[in-house]
Amino acid sequence: MTKQEYKDLVETLTVYSDAYYKENKSLISDFEFDLMMMECKKTEKEHPEWVASDAITQIVGSDLVSNDGNVTHHVPMLSIEDVFLKEDVVCWVEKVLHEHPDAIFSVEEKIDGTSATLRYQKNSDSGMDLVMVESRGDGYVGVNKTYLAPAVEDIRTSLNEAFDYLEIRGEVYMKHDNFNRYNEQMEEEGKKTAANARNLASGTFNLNDPEEAEKRGLNMFIFNVQDGPKDMMQSHIKALEYLNKKYGIPVVKYYKCHTAQEVLTAIDAIGESRGNLSYDIDGAVVKIDQIAYRDDFSSAAKYSTGHIAYKYPPEEKETVVTGIELQVGRTGRITPVAVMQPIHLCGTTVTHATLHNQDFINELGIDVGCSVAVFKSGEIIPKIKTVSKSTGTIYQIPDVCPVCGGHVKKEIDTADYRCTNPSCKAQLFRNIIHFASRDCMNIKGLGKELIETLINAGYVSNYTDLYRLKEFRQELVNSGIIGRDKNTDNILQNIEATKENPPTTLLGSLGILNVGISTAKSLMKSFSSIDEIAAASVEELMQVDDIGETTAGNIVDFFHDSQTAKLYFELKEHGLKTYVPDNEKKEQTLTGMTICITGSLNHYKNRKELQNLLEERGAKVTGSVSSKTTVLINNDITSNSGKNRDAKKYGLPIMDEETFTNTYL
DNA sequence: GTTAACGAAGGCATTAATGA
DNA sequence: TCATTAATGCCTTCGTTAAC
């Protein structure tokens, strides 16, 4: 592409994008738009010197909405790790103070609603406009909810501020008044009422109709500045105060604390005020005020660093176990579930609670007919706490599968009971559900019920059969199993579409024991195709990170068992991708490097993006600095953060993005 | 035009197994 | 021993389509 052609392409894209965002008109299909955008970005990679800072591809918020309305978050929207004991709060606070004696804490109400992020961008009159409202989704990719901004009273559509970019996150919730009004009206109209304010808020934030949403009434408390000018990225509390004072934006109520004792006092104060608030809260969040310190306290990947949430003790009630159901999972594991006389707990009716396994049953002494104390763990999941009146006997999981009548055996050294019949219908059924689920192949529209229907009608008995369904299209339409023409074709098309899924997804969906998407990723880093994995020995597989003897054995078993291996080879024949073609592969220039990234980035949307890029080229990206780390990427190379100190301790290079890019990319 | 059925989405938790 | 992952589970509301 010549420079002029690139410029023309950028201009065309800008026209389409403006029409879409500002006038709600689609001049071309989303698919075509995405293609052009990809082309444009590819060129920009080859010729970074052509890129203007205001080019459409550089504008945060414009290139993020895919054709199904999904938005990749600029900063991931992770959840906060919950703790249920005050001792744990004290422990965490002291750990932070030990590392940073001057740390300050913000203790905040944890609003019970649904999380959302707002992006603001500089406009031409030196102010800022709201360009995007996005829901949380899976934490990395959410849904574009910009059209609902007018329905949320507290969202400002413009700010009189000349920052280049501002991203704030908060909780969308429903006030009790609005919730009660909604339910009164539903009752008047003889319609179903909503169970609680959180669910109604979450449901309302899901509506496609902004007017209906506005009628119901939503509010929002801001609880974080995700990204913005340097001044706002230092003290969390100061940033919240600024937003509140300057714009009257409602921010979450917080207490500024310096010691563990002060934190506990604040938690108690919030707990006591709970009953008098006009909205629901489900805990108290403790955050480190100094944003720079947050990354020094590592946590699991799904949690934000530098935050914990204290959960107040939940409501508890008594009921009677009226039965125990046995569920057979896709691996054959038998899970007992208690059926109870319905009780009302935290705004919902509770009838079921999992019993996990025989050990759990034995420990509590559960049997049909006993009385139990039930609470909602985390205020969501019903859980039996104790048996208050025993029957004198304890339930025993039978040795016959409740579905196929096959033999049920207790696994040695585990708490699991498994149905040993490999053609057990329940297992096949669950296997297909797993294969089709969102986290695996993501076959849209193919859910539990439809799969069951297809199995019962004899069309499928395993996931490979799904790719044969199209041969029976007319028959299916005639019988109306999936609905009529339109529905049938939709499902068939969605199945076909999954043939384009990357091999990693396929490998993770096959149902190999202990191999999910994450393990599949590790495997595909070391092997060039699933075929190669199928041919590998236990020893070879064990060379891969995260693969031990058991998992390696499971993989070998899967590809050596004639039945399961056949499933895989049939999928391959149907045209599913089992390797990444050479021309789509990235050069493995970073093999052997262990890289840690910290702090905020300038050239990449977020750390995840840089991480993906490094991983594609063979590097290992970790969350902490150790003696095995090759390099630490941090734009603030002089900071005194824990990671910088560790890097210095081990004598490792600390590079900013630019230096790193110039040296290695 | 209304209703029923089903799946998706959005919120989550727990346990056991695994790997380091 | 610790951190992570896989597998399983629970509840509510909305959207879509087909059927009545």
Side-chain angles (χ1 to χ4, degrees), chain A residues 622-643:
Chain A
T622 57
S624 57
V625 174
S626 74
S627 59
K628 289 179 186 149
T629 307
T630 324
V631 55
L632 171 66
I633 302 179
N634 187 349
N635 278 329
D636 189 355
I637 52 173
T638 56
S639 103
N640 199 30
S641 74
K643 285 188 181 117

PDB file of all heavy atoms in Angstrom, chain A residues 622-643:
ATOM      1  N   THR A 622       5.137 -13.052  32.918  1.00  0.00           N
ATOM      2  CA  THR A 622       4.771 -13.379  34.301  1.00  0.00           C
ATOM      3  C   THR A 622       4.282 -12.133  35.038  1.00  0.00           C
ATOM      4  O   THR A 622       4.474 -11.013  34.576  1.00  0.00           O
ATOM      5  CB  THR A 622       5.993 -13.918  35.073  1.00  0.00           C
ATOM      6  OG1 THR A 622       7.023 -12.941  35.013  1.00  0.00           O
ATOM      7  CG2 THR A 622       6.498 -15.203  34.492  1.00  0.00           C
ATOM      8  N   GLY A 623       3.684 -12.366  36.182  1.00  0.00           N
ATOM      9  CA  GLY A 623       3.143 -11.257  36.959  1.00  0.00           C
ATOM     10  C   GLY A 623       4.103 -10.758  38.024  1.00  0.00           C
ATOM     11  O   GLY A 623       3.844  -9.763  38.684  1.00  0.00           O
ATOM     12  N   SER A 624       5.205 -11.460  38.207  1.00  0.00           N
ATOM     13  CA  SER A 624       6.135 -11.002  39.232  1.00  0.00           C
ATOM     14  C   SER A 624       7.573 -11.148  38.740  1.00  0.00           C
ATOM     15  O   SER A 624       7.852 -11.871  37.794  1.00  0.00           O
ATOM     16  CB  SER A 624       5.942 -11.824  40.502  1.00  0.00           C
ATOM     17  OG  SER A 624       6.114 -13.179  40.205  1.00  0.00           O
ATOM     18  N   VAL A 625       8.458 -10.435  39.415  1.00  0.00           N
ATOM     19  CA  VAL A 625       9.874 -10.457  39.029  1.00  0.00           C
ATOM     20  C   VAL A 625      10.605 -11.486  39.887  1.00  0.00           C
ATOM     21  O   VAL A 625      10.473 -11.477  41.110  1.00  0.00           O
ATOM     22  CB  VAL A 625      10.509  -9.062  39.247  1.00  0.00           C
ATOM     23  CG1 VAL A 625      12.001  -9.104  38.984  1.00  0.00           C
ATOM     24  CG2 VAL A 625       9.844  -8.041  38.342  1.00  0.00           C
ATOM     25  N   SER A 626      11.312 -12.377  39.255  1.00  0.00           N
ATOM     26  CA  SER A 626      12.117 -13.333  40.009  1.00  0.00           C
ATOM     27  C   SER A 626      13.502 -13.394  39.366  1.00  0.00           C
ATOM     28  O   SER A 626      13.761 -12.706  38.380  1.00  0.00           O
ATOM     29  CB  SER A 626      11.471 -14.709  39.981  1.00  0.00           C
ATOM     30  OG  SER A 626      11.658 -15.281  38.709  1.00  0.00           O
ATOM     31  N   SER A 627      14.355 -14.255  39.903  1.00  0.00           N
ATOM     32  CA  SER A 627      15.714 -14.340  39.343  1.00  0.00           C
ATOM     33  C   SER A 627      15.675 -14.885  37.910  1.00  0.00           C
ATOM     34  O   SER A 627      16.620 -14.741  37.161  1.00  0.00           O
ATOM     35  CB  SER A 627      16.565 -15.241  40.226  1.00  0.00           C
ATOM     36  OG  SER A 627      15.973 -16.512  40.291  1.00  0.00           O
ATOM     37  N   LYS A 628      14.539 -15.530  37.558  1.00  0.00           N
ATOM     38  CA  LYS A 628      14.445 -16.104  36.214  1.00  0.00           C
ATOM     39  C   LYS A 628      13.963 -15.099  35.170  1.00  0.00           C
ATOM     40  O   LYS A 628      13.934 -15.388  33.989  1.00  0.00           O
ATOM     41  CB  LYS A 628      13.497 -17.302  36.236  1.00  0.00           C
ATOM     42  CG  LYS A 628      14.102 -18.491  36.965  1.00  0.00           C
ATOM     43  CD  LYS A 628      13.147 -19.651  36.999  1.00  0.00           C
ATOM     44  CE  LYS A 628      13.735 -20.755  37.875  1.00  0.00           C
ATOM     45  NZ  LYS A 628      12.705 -21.516  38.542  1.00  0.00           N
ATOM     46  N   THR A 629      13.529 -13.934  35.629  1.00  0.00           N
ATOM     47  CA  THR A 629      13.031 -12.924  34.698  1.00  0.00           C
ATOM     48  C   THR A 629      14.170 -12.412  33.822  1.00  0.00           C
ATOM     49  O   THR A 629      15.297 -12.257  34.295  1.00  0.00           O
ATOM     50  CB  THR A 629      12.414 -11.749  35.490  1.00  0.00           C
ATOM     51  OG1 THR A 629      11.458 -12.282  36.395  1.00  0.00           O
ATOM     52  CG2 THR A 629      11.732 -10.749  34.576  1.00  0.00           C
ATOM     53  N   THR A 630      13.862 -12.170  32.536  1.00  0.00           N
ATOM     54  CA  THR A 630      14.874 -11.651  31.626  1.00  0.00           C
ATOM     55  C   THR A 630      14.865 -10.133  31.640  1.00  0.00           C
ATOM     56  O   THR A 630      15.910  -9.496  31.639  1.00  0.00           O
ATOM     57  CB  THR A 630      14.596 -12.117  30.176  1.00  0.00           C
ATOM     58  OG1 THR A 630      14.074 -13.429  30.211  1.00  0.00           O
ATOM     59  CG2 THR A 630      15.842 -12.059  29.341  1.00  0.00           C
ATOM     60  N   VAL A 631      13.656  -9.566  31.606  1.00  0.00           N
ATOM     61  CA  VAL A 631      13.565  -8.112  31.559  1.00  0.00           C
ATOM     62  C   VAL A 631      12.243  -7.651  32.181  1.00  0.00           C
ATOM     63  O   VAL A 631      11.232  -8.342  32.103  1.00  0.00           O
ATOM     64  CB  VAL A 631      13.730  -7.597  30.102  1.00  0.00           C
ATOM     65  CG1 VAL A 631      12.737  -8.240  29.174  1.00  0.00           C
ATOM     66  CG2 VAL A 631      13.582  -6.079  30.012  1.00  0.00           C
ATOM     67  N   LEU A 632      12.296  -6.489  32.817  1.00  0.00           N
ATOM     68  CA  LEU A 632      11.080  -5.878  33.359  1.00  0.00           C
ATOM     69  C   LEU A 632      10.733  -4.687  32.485  1.00  0.00           C
ATOM     70  O   LEU A 632      11.572  -3.818  32.242  1.00  0.00           O
ATOM     71  CB  LEU A 632      11.314  -5.422  34.804  1.00  0.00           C
ATOM     72  CG  LEU A 632      10.210  -4.565  35.438  1.00  0.00           C
ATOM     73  CD1 LEU A 632       8.925  -5.361  35.620  1.00  0.00           C
ATOM     74  CD2 LEU A 632      10.654  -3.986  36.777  1.00  0.00           C
ATOM     75  N   ILE A 633       9.485  -4.669  31.983  1.00  0.00           N
ATOM     76  CA  ILE A 633       9.061  -3.518  31.191  1.00  0.00           C
ATOM     77  C   ILE A 633       8.277  -2.587  32.100  1.00  0.00           C
ATOM     78  O   ILE A 633       7.263  -2.979  32.674  1.00  0.00           O
ATOM     79  CB  ILE A 633       8.174  -3.946  30.004  1.00  0.00           C
ATOM     80  CG1 ILE A 633       8.934  -4.927  29.111  1.00  0.00           C
ATOM     81  CG2 ILE A 633       7.703  -2.734  29.205  1.00  0.00           C
ATOM     82  CD1 ILE A 633       8.135  -5.429  27.926  1.00  0.00           C
ATOM     83  N   ASN A 634       8.778  -1.363  32.249  1.00  0.00           N
ATOM     84  CA  ASN A 634       8.102  -0.377  33.085  1.00  0.00           C
ATOM     85  C   ASN A 634       8.461   0.988  32.540  1.00  0.00           C
ATOM     86  O   ASN A 634       9.634   1.324  32.424  1.00  0.00           O
ATOM     87  CB  ASN A 634       8.575  -0.530  34.542  1.00  0.00           C
ATOM     88  CG  ASN A 634       7.780   0.370  35.476  1.00  0.00           C
ATOM     89  OD1 ASN A 634       7.031   1.250  35.037  1.00  0.00           O
ATOM     90  ND2 ASN A 634       7.946   0.143  36.769  1.00  0.00           N
ATOM     91  N   ASN A 635       7.446   1.770  32.193  1.00  0.00           N
ATOM     92  CA  ASN A 635       7.738   3.080  31.620  1.00  0.00           C
ATOM     93  C   ASN A 635       8.365   4.021  32.627  1.00  0.00           C
ATOM     94  O   ASN A 635       9.057   4.965  32.268  1.00  0.00           O
ATOM     95  CB  ASN A 635       6.465   3.687  31.028  1.00  0.00           C
ATOM     96  CG  ASN A 635       6.217   3.118  29.647  1.00  0.00           C
ATOM     97  OD1 ASN A 635       7.156   2.775  28.920  1.00  0.00           O
ATOM     98  ND2 ASN A 635       4.954   2.974  29.295  1.00  0.00           N
ATOM     99  N   ASP A 636       8.103   3.738  33.904  1.00  0.00           N
ATOM    100  CA  ASP A 636       8.727   4.561  34.933  1.00  0.00           C
ATOM    101  C   ASP A 636       9.931   3.805  35.480  1.00  0.00           C
ATOM    102  O   ASP A 636       9.843   3.113  36.495  1.00  0.00           O
ATOM    103  CB  ASP A 636       7.701   4.830  36.036  1.00  0.00           C
ATOM    104  CG  ASP A 636       8.210   5.858  37.026  1.00  0.00           C
ATOM    105  OD1 ASP A 636       9.382   6.263  36.885  1.00  0.00           O
ATOM    106  OD2 ASP A 636       7.441   6.245  37.915  1.00  0.00           O
ATOM    107  N   ILE A 637      11.057   3.921  34.784  1.00  0.00           N
ATOM    108  CA  ILE A 637      12.191   3.087  35.163  1.00  0.00           C
ATOM    109  C   ILE A 637      12.841   3.542  36.465  1.00  0.00           C
ATOM    110  O   ILE A 637      13.621   2.820  37.055  1.00  0.00           O
ATOM    111  CB  ILE A 637      13.271   3.010  34.048  1.00  0.00           C
ATOM    112  CG1 ILE A 637      13.670   4.422  33.606  1.00  0.00           C
ATOM    113  CG2 ILE A 637      12.787   2.233  32.852  1.00  0.00           C
ATOM    114  CD1 ILE A 637      14.844   4.401  32.642  1.00  0.00           C
ATOM    115  N   THR A 638      12.500   4.751  36.921  1.00  0.00           N
ATOM    116  CA  THR A 638      13.149   5.245  38.143  1.00  0.00           C
ATOM    117  C   THR A 638      12.298   4.989  39.384  1.00  0.00           C
ATOM    118  O   THR A 638      12.732   5.228  40.495  1.00  0.00           O
ATOM    119  CB  THR A 638      13.412   6.755  38.037  1.00  0.00           C
ATOM    120  OG1 THR A 638      12.149   7.376  37.776  1.00  0.00           O
ATOM    121  CG2 THR A 638      14.389   7.059  36.937  1.00  0.00           C
ATOM    122  N   SER A 639      11.064   4.526  39.198  1.00  0.00           N
ATOM    123  CA  SER A 639      10.181   4.398  40.355  1.00  0.00           C
ATOM    124  C   SER A 639      10.755   3.426  41.381  1.00  0.00           C
ATOM    125  O   SER A 639      11.627   2.615  41.079  1.00  0.00           O
ATOM    126  CB  SER A 639       8.789   3.933  39.922  1.00  0.00           C
ATOM    127  OG  SER A 639       8.616   2.573  40.205  1.00  0.00           O
ATOM    128  N   ASN A 640      10.212   3.523  42.583  1.00  0.00           N
ATOM    129  CA  ASN A 640      10.735   2.675  43.649  1.00  0.00           C
ATOM    130  C   ASN A 640       9.745   1.553  43.966  1.00  0.00           C
ATOM    131  O   ASN A 640       9.648   1.091  45.098  1.00  0.00           O
ATOM    132  CB  ASN A 640      11.006   3.543  44.883  1.00  0.00           C
ATOM    133  CG  ASN A 640      11.941   2.844  45.832  1.00  0.00           C
ATOM    134  OD1 ASN A 640      12.793   2.047  45.401  1.00  0.00           O
ATOM    135  ND2 ASN A 640      11.787   3.096  47.119  1.00  0.00           N
ATOM    136  N   SER A 641       8.990   1.135  42.972  1.00  0.00           N
ATOM    137  CA  SER A 641       7.984   0.100  43.198  1.00  0.00           C
ATOM    138  C   SER A 641       8.671  -1.227  43.516  1.00  0.00           C
ATOM    139  O   SER A 641       9.857  -1.414  43.268  1.00  0.00           O
ATOM    140  CB  SER A 641       7.124  -0.068  41.953  1.00  0.00           C
ATOM    141  OG  SER A 641       7.871  -0.730  40.970  1.00  0.00           O
ATOM    142  N   GLY A 642       7.911  -2.151  44.085  1.00  0.00           N
ATOM    143  CA  GLY A 642       8.453  -3.447  44.483  1.00  0.00           C
ATOM    144  C   GLY A 642       9.106  -4.173  43.323  1.00  0.00           C
ATOM    145  O   GLY A 642      10.180  -4.769  43.465  1.00  0.00           O
ATOM    146  N   LYS A 643       8.479  -4.081  42.145  1.00  0.00           N
ATOM    147  CA  LYS A 643       9.026  -4.804  40.996  1.00  0.00           C
ATOM    148  C   LYS A 643      10.349  -4.196  40.543  1.00  0.00           C
ATOM    149  O   LYS A 643      11.284  -4.914  40.199  1.00  0.00           O
ATOM    150  CB  LYS A 643       8.009  -4.815  39.859  1.00  0.00           C
ATOM    151  CG  LYS A 643       6.879  -5.787  40.148  1.00  0.00           C
ATOM    152  CD  LYS A 643       5.953  -5.983  38.991  1.00  0.00           C
ATOM    153  CE  LYS A 643       4.869  -6.945  39.384  1.00  0.00           C
ATOM    154  NZ  LYS A 643       3.529  -6.372  39.360  1.00  0.00           N
TER     155      LYS A 643
END
